[in-house]
Amino acid sequence: MKKKNIIQAMHFSLSISMFISVPLLAVEVHGVLGSASATTTIDGKQIPAPDPEFGGVIKQDALKSKAWWAPRVTPPNDAPNVLLIITDDAGFGVPSTFGGVIPTPSLDRVANDGLRYNNIHSTALCSPTRAALITGRNHHSVGFGVISEQATGFPGYNSIIPKEKATIGRILLDNGYATSWFGKDHNTPSFAASMAGPFDQWPTGLGFEYFYGFVGGDANQWQPNLFRNTTQIYPFKGKPEWNLVTGMADDAIAYLKQLNQTMPDKRFFVKYAPGATHAPHHPTKEWVKKISDMHLFDKGWNKLREEIFENQKKLGVIPKDTQIEPWPTEVIPNWDDLTADAKKLYIRQAEIFAAYAAYNDYEIGRVIQAIDDMGKLDNTLIIYINGDNGTSAEGGPLGTPNEVAFFNGINKMPVETQMKWYDVWGTEETYNHMSAGWSWAFDTPFTWFKQNASKLGGIRQNMAISWPARIKDKGGLREQFAHVNDIVPTILEATGIPAPEMVDGIKQEPMEGTSLVYTFDKENAKAPSRHTTQYFEMMGQWALYHEGWLLSTKVNRAPWEAYGAANPDPLNNQVLELYNLNEDFSQSKNIAAEHPEKVKELKKLFIEEAKKYQVFPMDASVATRLVMPRPNITAGRTEFVYTEPMVGLPQGDSPSLLNTSYTITADIEVPKGGAEGMILASGGRFAGYGFYLLNGKPVFLWNLVNLERIKWEGKEALTPGKHIVEFDFKYDGLGAGTLAFNNMSGLGRSGTGTLKVDGKVVDTKKMEKTLPMILQWDESFDIGSDTLTGVNDADYKPPFPLTAKLNKVTIKVDRPKLSPDDIKKLETAKRNNASSE
């Protein structure tokens, strides 16, 4: 080799070594370095990797110079594509793959091509599980001790994923993957979900180049609050049969096809997180008919539970000696004790839920088939997790046509009331949820539900993993203890990409999960679990798994019991139970009395884990955290002025008119011929308020969870010209300040509303009760029109644009202030409550 070429080669080698921080032989380089087609892997210790030193030659003129391109970063040559699927609110007994009666052929396909896992765990709630899933850390470690809408100002609960704990999206992106996220987010703080940003906690700011989905915890599947990246979109407009379950599958397939067509060799990482089967349960008519025709639920929930349990034993997905506990008649009645109307309603509820689950699995199958059609299935790692927690019981013992009612304390809507929606259950006219009786059955063989972190019914999921190029034990069962925080380490080991030490110059904290790749090999089918210790905590209920033992708190709150004073000492004011899961798969035999020293030992270990992972201060409050102050764009403000039409401001970033006095003043000009339309609206069909002109007359309306509407209305249409229209509300309660004393007495109280036109009172009336917690949180705050659903279908249909000229809308909020006497009484009540515990 000529001396010049040797020097040049050494220069290339030096440049690429600086680029990847490892010797040249330790990386995969394809093509000629410096050429436009050259690629390389990186060591991944630092992302983004530093730019390499220029390796060409620069003279005074281009003809005597040599161009040089930095190599494009790619994953290791044998790294797989990754499709990570997680469904919502589905317990162990839901899918047919694990003994359920609901057909899930797509999950069957993954399981039959790969492995079934019957011992993987969630955190018992949506946002927390998803935060652990994408970071490889425990949920409190990344700020998600609860859902983002309940965030509080403590590190373990602020709903902000720290910069020192980068997501799998970010890691794979900087290692050459195309990264995308479809469906549910719920890891963006509710106070950072508006167009004002910041967007660093949106999927696009967390390492996912493309996002198509919704930001909050749930979504109307017919008319979702939907985003592409950070821009709101309305693909359902003019399409009454459109449904998000199909819509997101279509978008994911289009994305994958375009990527494949544009750059066939680029590896992809897709997080696919449909809203199903979280409420509202919104399947298409086609799927409702398919499931209804199967008559799966006609015998009721007791028999369903028995059927699922026998199926599970026959399939071998639970041990043959698994015990099942008696039906919990103290919580949910036996099926045979129900009235005929109740049975009719509940069967309908279950059929809609099942149709939603089956429909969702079918659409997931379309995405998998699209990958197969591209010829990429063999080298695609598919991780399909059934549920981010146990089946939800937030519909209460009776179910509900409107989940927003539950969040406002209405958790036992009578059957006769619900029957008004029987024929439209699951359509756009309901925000429906099923009875907890079905939820108990769908968590078979375990007990309790979503939210219950101390019982396996709340935290035990199931999962299937396939990777044909690597996993050869097709249809095998894996029983090692695992947690959703194991998924990121698993993906990293499978791709050959290490966890970075630095991201954007910020030192990274270690992963807290354990890779499951060792379970891929048949010879390790019965290997001991490498994940030996795991804590669980959700809203004051907690547990600790350690080497087969499970210490757990006795359930002291059903999920629908979200109101009232919270347990003031959730660490110690508990009944502790102990289980040996090596011998008791279903957590059915409490042996705490026989092993007091083990109880003491495991509680001490729980405290150590809780300190390590930011679980403290432990908080047993539930619904009240929905109205706690957060650093949103309205924090500290008492006046809001709008001079232009605006739509899409999320509830978490809009002025809250709950539990307070307020005045809304609209300065408008009515044209000749009169005007109509929405001045201001917040929420929608299932809870909210609107200030509008109807047939020229001013109207202010409160929609109380679609059960009652309180309307103030002018008697005469506004004449052409300028008018000041005002709605003033005087609240009678003490407001959210009572929550600081573990007291809810300040919420949801009465108040008097007065409607004025040009200073003259035109209507006044008292509201005997007000919404204490939330409006419909997947709807927005709009000025000048009303997006998605309307607050009163009898009056108008969205968007109902305002035809008057809008000069200005002003909202003034006057929040109650506690007097010294109020504080004294609340402190006394708090002491009395604590002493009675």
Side-chain angles (χ1 to χ4, degrees):
M1 182 184 291
K2 294 182 180 179
K3 182 177 181 181
K4 179 180 178 182
N5 291 340
I6 293 174
I7 293 173
Q8 191 171 349
M10 289 174 63
H11 189 60
F12 288 162
S13 181
L14 177 61
S15 298
I16 195 66
S17 296
M18 292 176 65
F19 179 39
I20 59 180
S21 305
V22 294
L24 183 60
L25 293 177
V27 302
E28 298 174 7
V29 177
H30 297 278
V32 178
L33 287 172
S35 69
S37 61
T39 65
T40 186
T41 58
I42 59 174
D43 72 346
K45 293 180 180 179
Q46 175 183 340
I47 59 173
D51 291 332
E53 181 183 343
F54 179 71
V57 178
I58 298 178
K59 300 293 184 181
Q60 290 184 348
D61 59 84
L63 293 177
K64 295 179 182 176
S65 301
K66 182 173 181 59
W68 191 91
W69 294 97
R72 178 169 49 85
V73 176
T74 57
N77 194 47
D78 58 354
N81 300 298
V82 182
L83 173 61
L84 174 59
I85 303 161
I86 185 165
T87 64
D88 207 335
D89 284 8
F92 195 92
V94 167
S96 60
T97 317
F98 289 84
V101 300
I102 302 173
T104 52
S106 302
L107 183 55
D108 292 347
R109 176 180 183 178
V110 177
N112 293 336
D113 284 347
L115 303 168
R116 284 173 171 82
Y117 290 77
N118 72 351
N119 200 5
I120 183 167
H121 298 79
S122 66
T123 68
L125 205 60
C126 307
S127 289
T129 292
R130 293 159 190 274
L133 179 70
I134 62 173
T135 63
R137 278 90 172 187
N138 288 308
H139 57 301
H140 294 86
S141 286
V142 286
F144 275 93
V146 285
I147 58 173
S148 59
E149 294 87 350
Q150 293 176 306
T152 55
F154 299 100
Y157 299 89
N158 61 18
S159 74
I160 300 170
I161 295 176
K163 302 296 184 187
E164 63 269 21
K165 295 170 185 176
T167 73
I168 184 62
R170 179 61 198 279
I171 297 169
L172 295 187
L173 173 66
D174 280 81
N175 279 273
Y177 274 78
T179 59
S180 58
W181 183 330
F182 296 88
K184 180 172 177 174
D185 172 1
H186 216 196
N187 288 131
T188 296
S190 62
F191 50 82
S194 78
M195 65 172 290
F199 296 112
D200 60 323
Q201 294 283 316
W202 283 60
T204 52
L206 294 173
F208 295 84
E209 293 176 300
Y210 181 77
F211 171 58
Y212 177 97
F214 56 97
V215 175
D218 53 14
N220 182 329
Q221 301 294 296
W222 304 107
Q223 295 172 298
N225 194 17
L226 193 63
F227 290 84
R228 177 172 280 117
N229 299 324
T230 58
T231 301
Q232 194 165 10
I233 58 173
Y234 306 90
F236 46 82
K237 280 191 174 180
K239 301 174 183 176
E241 301 301 316
W242 189 94
N243 188 293
L244 179 57
V245 178
T246 297
M248 66 176 276
D250 287 345
D251 203 82
I253 291 167
Y255 168 86
L256 288 168
K257 285 183 175 180
Q258 185 170 357
L259 178 66
N260 184 56
Q261 185 167 277
T262 305
M263 196 172 185
D265 62 345
K266 184 153 189 172
R267 250 61 59 83
F268 60 77
F269 169 63
V270 172
K271 184 192 177 196
Y272 195 84
T277 47
H278 195 293
H281 305 152
H282 280 169
T284 62
K285 294 176 182 177
E286 172 192 5
W287 281 95
V288 172
K289 186 176 187 313
K290 284 181 180 180
I291 295 298
S292 296
D293 288 348
M294 296 173 72
H295 297 282
L296 298 173
F297 308 107
D298 292 358
K299 296 179 181 179
W301 45 54
N302 299 76
K303 293 295 184 183
L304 174 66
R305 187 180 187 225
E306 294 171 10
E307 181 180 357
I308 293 173
F309 185 57
E310 292 305 315
N311 289 346
Q312 290 169 338
K313 288 194 290 187
K314 288 176 185 175
L315 275 176
V317 295
I318 67 173
K320 293 191 183 301
D321 62 355
T322 300
Q323 299 297 307
I324 193 166
E325 296 183 51
W327 187 261
T329 52
E330 72 282 4
V331 180
I332 302 162
N334 283 312
W335 185 258
D336 289 344
D337 294 334
L338 299 174
T339 66
D341 276 353
K343 290 178 180 179
K344 179 180 179 181
L345 173 66
Y346 297 156
I347 289 170
R348 183 66 170 173
Q349 292 175 355
E351 287 176 345
I352 297 298
F353 172 84
Y356 194 31
Y359 170 37
N360 181 54
D361 179 82
Y362 171 81
E363 295 295 338
I364 289 170
R366 290 180 55 226
V367 177
I368 295 172
Q369 187 58 47
I371 295 170
D372 194 6
D373 292 342
M374 295 172 199
K376 294 188 173 183
L377 194 62
D378 189 61
N379 197 36
T380 296
L381 171 64
I382 299 178
I383 302 172
Y384 188 155
I385 304 170
N386 170 66
D388 56 358
N389 41 244
T391 314
S392 173
E394 289 161 2
L398 309 180
T400 179
N402 182 4
E403 185 200 31
V404 187
F406 155 74
F407 288 110
N408 283 290
I410 301 172
N411 56 18
K412 292 183 180 179
M413 195 181 298
V415 168
E416 56 269 26
T417 301
Q418 294 192 57
M419 286 297 287
K420 298 174 185 177
W421 287 276
Y422 179 87
D423 291 330
V424 294
W425 204 271
T427 72
E428 64 174 10
E429 295 184 44
T430 61
Y431 216 84
N432 51 306
H433 206 312
M434 66 187 172
S435 164
W438 299 118
S439 306
W440 194 280
F442 284 130
D443 286 344
T444 303
F446 311 114
T447 59
W448 293 95
F449 318 97
K450 171 187 177 180
Q451 293 191 30
N452 297 124
S454 62
K455 299 298 284 187
L456 292 179
I459 58 176
R460 179 68 65 85
Q461 312 305 136
N462 39 46
M463 172 177 71
I465 297 180
S466 68
W467 182 10
R470 173 69 169 78
I471 297 173
K472 303 303 180 184
D473 185 20
K474 292 188 175 184
L477 177 68
R478 297 296 183 264
E479 301 175 89
Q480 289 85 356
F481 180 93
H483 188 272
V484 288
N485 63 22
D486 295 335
I487 298 303
V488 167
T490 300
I491 293 171
L492 292 178
E493 184 175 350
T495 58
I497 293 171
E501 297 173 6
M502 301 282 287
V503 176
D504 295 328
I506 298 172
K507 189 177 187 305
Q508 296 295 291
E509 295 293 327
M511 292 288 165
E512 294 161 9
T514 305
S515 172
L516 295 171
V517 169
Y518 74 98
T519 67
F520 291 0
D521 298 319
K522 189 171 185 178
E523 56 266 29
N524 287 332
K526 299 295 183 181
S529 173
R530 296 181 184 178
H531 192 142
T532 57
T533 305
Q534 179 62 49
Y535 81 89
F536 300 89
E537 191 278 336
M538 191 58 60
M539 296 178 288
Q541 298 183 69
W542 54 268
L544 180 85
Y545 171 87
H546 181 64
E547 297 178 348
W549 293 93
L550 185 73
L551 178 72
S552 60
T553 58
K554 183 179 180 180
V555 174
N556 54 23
R557 181 188 65 80
W560 56 87
E561 296 168 343
Y563 297 83
N567 183 347
D569 186 9
L571 176 63
N572 300 304
N573 186 22
Q574 303 275 12
V575 175
L576 297 182
E577 300 176 339
L578 181 68
Y579 301 90
N580 182 349
L581 297 185
N582 291 330
E583 300 174 359
D584 176 17
F585 182 81
S586 60
Q587 192 189 6
S588 64
K589 301 169 190 171
N590 176 19
I591 53 176
E594 298 148 60
H595 300 276
E597 290 304 313
K598 178 61 73 172
V599 170
K600 185 177 179 181
E601 171 197 336
L602 293 180
K603 182 179 179 182
K604 180 182 177 184
L605 182 55
F606 172 81
I607 293 171
E608 292 172 2
E609 295 290 289
K611 289 178 179 177
K612 185 189 307 182
Y613 297 119
Q614 303 184 157
V615 177
F616 297 132
M618 204 181 296
D619 186 349
S621 63
V622 186
T624 54
R625 279 194 262 187
L626 293 169
V627 291
M628 297 295 280
R630 297 181 185 88
N632 67 6
I633 59 179
T634 70
R637 296 172 61 187
T638 58
E639 184 172 343
F640 305 85
V641 177
Y642 307 93
T643 59
E644 299 289 336
M646 176 184 73
V647 298
L649 189 64
Q651 298 296 337
D653 280 317
S654 62
S656 174
L657 305 187
L658 302 183
N659 309 307
T660 186
S661 298
Y662 56 89
T663 303
I664 303 175
T665 305
D667 180 342
I668 61 175
E669 291 182 39
V670 176
K672 291 181 180 180
E676 67 170 8
M678 186 60 64
I679 298 170
L680 178 153
S682 192
R685 178 178 291 130
F686 304 102
Y689 62 85
F691 195 8
Y692 50 96
L693 302 182
L694 181 65
N695 299 320
K697 300 175 184 178
V699 172
F700 195 92
L701 179 139
W702 266 104
N703 172 1
L704 302 181
V705 297
N706 205 26
L707 293 176
E708 182 181 7
R709 285 172 171 79
I710 311 296
K711 181 188 283 190
W712 294 258
E713 187 170 12
K715 303 298 184 292
E716 299 177 354
L718 298 181
T719 58
K722 184 174 180 179
H723 293 280
I724 303 296
V725 186
E726 179 182 294
F727 182 75
D728 179 74
F729 190 79
K730 295 290 188 271
Y731 182 63
D732 296 332
L734 294 178
T738 64
L739 297 177
F741 302 89
N742 200 14
N743 190 305
M744 296 182 64
S745 64
L747 309 183
R749 297 302 178 181
S750 61
T752 301
T754 303
L755 180 64
K756 300 179 183 179
V757 175
D758 299 325
K760 180 182 178 182
V761 175
V762 297
D763 198 5
T764 183
K765 65 182 61 173
K766 184 171 183 176
M767 289 179 70
E768 295 299 332
K769 54 193 173 185
T770 58
L771 295 180
M773 294 296 170
I774 65 166
L775 307 185
Q776 186 179 342
W777 57 17
D778 69 331
E779 293 264 356
S780 57
F781 175 93
D782 302 322
I783 301 288
S785 65
D786 188 5
T787 55
L788 305 182
T789 64
V791 295
N792 190 17
D793 292 336
D795 282 354
Y796 70 94
K797 300 296 181 186
F800 199 43
L802 180 65
T803 57
K805 180 184 177 184
L806 177 68
N807 294 321
K808 184 167 67 172
V809 173
T810 303
I811 301 176
K812 293 183 179 180
V813 180
D814 182 16
R815 301 206 175 279
K817 296 177 180 62
L818 298 178
S819 70
D821 189 49
D822 293 330
I823 293 172
K824 185 177 179 180
K825 290 178 180 177
L826 288 164
E827 287 177 338
T828 300
K830 183 180 179 181
R831 284 194 298 271
N832 291 339
N833 287 334
S835 62
S836 66
E837 290 290 336

